[in-house]
């Protein structure tokens, strides 16, 4: 099966840190770029970061840059999202996604349903005030 499995969410206090993992199976990094997006209750999905598999460049949303770090382990077919200095407004369901290998989707973090080729079930991150 081709799938993405995100994990690592939970409850954390304001200012705390959390690390998410996303394991890919059934395909490799050579097939897609891999990114993270989040969706808070009642809000639209928001692109966070993307690893461009074609050239190794990592893109970040300006809102999260400096607080969130994406890393990858090709041998494990896994991407990670390390989050620090968390705020209550970071509360959301976090998803990892497989995106087109080329084009503007990854650089612009345009992770709409139309652009996402595959997404994981998501993991809930709750930041308490």
């Amino acid at each position: 099966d081709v799938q993405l499995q995100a994990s690592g969410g939970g409850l954390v206090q304001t200012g705390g840190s959390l690390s998410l993992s996303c394991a890919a199976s059934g395909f490799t990094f050579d097939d897609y770029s891999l990114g993270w997006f989040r969706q808070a209750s009642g809000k639209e999905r928001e692109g966070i970061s993307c690893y461009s598999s074609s050239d190794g460049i990592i893109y970040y949303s300006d809102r999260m840059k400096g607080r969130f770090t994406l890393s990858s382990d090709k041998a494990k077919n896994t991407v990670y999202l390390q989050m620090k200095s968390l705020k209550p407004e970071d509360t959301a369901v976090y998803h990892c996604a497989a995106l087109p290998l080329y084009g503007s989707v990854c650089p612009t973090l345009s992770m709409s349903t139309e652009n996402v080729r595959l997404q994981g079930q998501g993991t809930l991150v709750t930041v308490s005030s």
Side-chain angles (χ1 to χ4, degrees):
D1 286 347
V2 177
Q3 63 179 354
L4 292 166
Q5 183 64 51
S7 61
L11 175 64
V12 63
Q13 291 185 332
T14 296
S17 301
L18 211 57
S19 184
L20 308 182
S21 300
C22 176
S25 59
F27 66 96
T28 69
F29 284 22
D30 292 335
D31 300 322
Y32 299 100
S33 289
L34 292 170
W36 289 91
F37 69 90
R38 67 187 185 186
Q39 189 160 22
S41 180
K43 296 188 177 181
E44 295 186 356
R45 58 175 63 185
E46 178 181 23
I48 299 170
S49 182
C50 181
Y51 170 74
S52 176
S53 300
S54 61
D55 53 18
I57 296 175
I58 299 175
Y59 299 92
Y60 291 98
S61 166
D62 287 341
R63 290 188 59 192
M64 276 73 85
K65 197 169 187 177
R67 295 194 300 123
F68 291 11
T69 303
L70 185 153
S71 59
S72 63
D73 186 334
K74 281 193 173 185
K76 294 183 178 180
N77 233 23
T78 300
V79 290
Y80 306 92
L81 185 69
Q82 293 176 297
M83 307 181 293
K84 65 179 182 180
S85 302
L86 286 164
K87 309 172 184 179
E89 50 264 43
D90 293 318
T91 295
V93 177
Y94 285 68
H95 297 265
C96 54
L99 305 168
L101 193 57
Y102 302 103
S104 64
V105 172
C106 183
T108 59
L109 304 179
S110 302
M111 301 184 201
S112 63
T113 53
E114 295 79 13
N115 292 333
V116 169
R117 296 294 180 261
L118 180 69
Q119 70 179 64
Q121 192 169 2
T123 185
L124 176 62
V125 172
T126 304
V127 185
S128 64
S129 57

